[in-house]
Amino acid sequence: MKNILPGAWRTRGWLACLLWPVAQVHGLLVRWRRALYRRGIMHSRRFDVPVIVVGNVVVGGAGKTPLVMALIKHLQAQGLRVGVVSRGYGRAGRQSLEVRPNTPVYVSGDEPALIQRATGAPVFVADRRTDALRDLLAAYPATSAVVCDDGLQHYALQRDIEIVVFDDKGAGNGWLLPAGPLREPWPGRLSQGINLVLHTGHKAAFAGYVSRRQLASQAVAADGSRLALTALRHQPLVALGGIANPEAFFDMLRACGLTLDQTLAFPDHHDFKKDDLDALSGRIVLCTEKDAVKLFALPAPPGLKLLAVPLEFSPEPAFFDALDALLAPLLSPLPSSHGQQTH
């Protein structure tokens, strides 16, 4: 520890260094848990369908859900029947259920609701993703491939392709929780099953594929009507975001030439209530698609014009080429390269 902390104290901060011993214990537990699954001591389950897991090795959002939707649309365009499983973070209840267009968001979770509405793919949520996938295949036995929204550390579900997503923060200070943002060692985890790395920010922190993110040219109201963002220029606007990085959304709005008189940043997966909107009577309010699945269901105060601004997310073509090459042999019954112990 004497050889590590002095330089790290300057570059990583005193609090991170104080938490460093706890992070080392966390790292040991992570490695032991993974080893238990690999050796079959802890059981994992394989299903007769290719499973693509999209997740993070860092805490916080990095563009995972937009990537999940882009993957689904890419696979659907090839004629594949795609299903989705998710835990449904922040939802009420733990039972397995199908997310339908009329499923209340507090029951499904905001991200599963957004995915279902944006893609039309069957989406199942459960506290255990294996339960969600079991019920998905029972209801839709012709499913060609499954995308698991998050769940990189959910080893109980065997997977065939692992995709990890980073934004401009990269791996942060490179230390595990709680001294840093890492859930798993990086780049150590890269050699233990990760197939594809995608960067969703403006500047990739290290090697991997890149994607383009920009706001759509039109905002969408609750009734489905659309309004060009250019029509909102020179108007006083309010922007709100209950996502992992709301400031990034606000910056993108400003980059479109919009004037934000007020910005309201809420915690990720914020459970919006009527009170959150009452003070915005008579204002034009812009939000993300993820927030809109909750906000559009609330009674609007007089004069409020609430508009969701979709995000256009486009991974580079080489990323999809690499994905297709990995997936092609899996569409026939071949053993998984990520198999552990079949339950």
Side-chain angles (χ1 to χ4, degrees), residues 18-338:
L18 289 176
L19 295 173
W20 181 81
V22 182
Q24 298 307 298
V25 175
H26 177 211
L28 288 173
L29 294 175
V30 168
R31 287 188 285 270
W32 286 341
R33 179 172 174 268
R34 186 172 176 82
L36 290 174
Y37 274 106
R38 283 196 170 276
R39 296 179 182 181
I41 298 172
M42 296 181 71
H43 293 291
S44 61
R45 185 171 179 181
R46 157 152 294 284
F47 292 85
D48 293 329
V49 63
V51 175
I52 304 168
V53 171
V54 180
N56 305 324
V57 295
V58 296
V59 294
K64 172 183 56 61
T65 300
L67 174 57
V68 167
M69 294 189 292
L71 286 175
I72 295 167
K73 293 175 181 178
H74 172 75
L75 298 176
Q76 288 173 332
Q78 300 180 56
L80 296 178
R81 298 181 178 92
V82 186
V84 183
V85 296
S86 174
R87 185 182 179 188
Y89 181 84
R91 73 188 184 97
R94 302 177 63 180
Q95 74 279 10
S96 175
L97 60 88
E98 180 176 4
V99 180
R100 298 182 180 274
N102 59 349
T103 302
V105 177
Y106 75 89
V107 174
S108 66
D110 50 12
E111 290 169 347
L114 174 59
I115 292 168
Q116 194 282 325
R117 296 176 191 184
T119 68
V123 178
F124 278 71
V125 295
D127 194 54
R128 297 191 302 180
R129 291 171 181 85
T130 49
D131 292 343
L133 184 45
R134 176 201 64 204
D135 294 344
L136 167 67
L137 294 180
Y140 300 91
T143 299
S144 306
V146 170
V147 178
C148 181
D149 176 34
D150 209 351
L152 199 63
Q153 292 81 34
H154 186 72
Y155 302 130
L157 174 61
Q158 292 190 29
R159 68 288 310 268
D160 299 280
I161 299 173
E162 290 185 334
I163 303 173
V164 64
V165 186
F166 290 94
D167 62 9
D168 285 332
K169 298 186 298 295
N173 64 6
W175 283 1
L176 288 164
L177 292 167
L182 290 175
R183 299 174 178 176
E184 299 184 88
W186 189 268
R189 182 66 169 83
L190 183 60
S191 62
Q192 298 176 351
I194 300 297
N195 297 98
L196 300 170
V197 175
L198 184 72
H199 297 277
T200 64
H202 296 290
K203 185 177 180 181
F206 38 80
Y209 296 99
V210 297
S211 60
R212 179 181 59 86
R213 290 195 302 174
Q214 66 180 32
L215 296 179
S217 61
Q218 295 182 321
V220 184
D223 61 4
S225 61
R226 295 177 177 271
L227 179 66
L229 291 187
T230 53
L232 297 173
R233 290 176 180 171
H234 311 299
Q235 297 193 51
L237 305 171
V238 177
L240 63 82
I243 57 177
N245 186 9
E247 290 299 330
F249 175 59
F250 304 153
D251 289 343
M252 295 176 79
L253 291 171
R254 294 187 183 102
C256 293
L258 302 183
T259 301
L260 305 184
D261 275 7
Q262 184 180 5
T263 58
L264 302 171
F266 295 90
D268 195 13
H269 304 284
H270 180 64
D271 184 16
F272 288 100
K273 303 294 185 183
K274 182 178 179 295
D275 292 346
D276 295 320
L277 295 179
D278 284 345
L280 301 175
S281 176
R283 304 298 301 274
I284 302 175
V285 179
L286 305 179
C287 68
T288 68
E289 283 185 298
K290 176 178 167 180
D291 296 320
V293 297
K294 294 178 179 177
L295 291 171
F296 282 167
L298 297 175
L304 172 66
K305 188 176 185 65
L306 180 63
L307 300 168
V309 186
L311 178 70
E312 294 180 346
F313 185 88
S314 303
E316 63 175 303
F319 170 81
F320 284 126
D321 291 342
L323 173 68
D324 292 343
L326 291 167
L327 185 60
L330 299 172
L331 295 175
S332 58
L334 295 176
S336 166
S337 61
H338 293 278

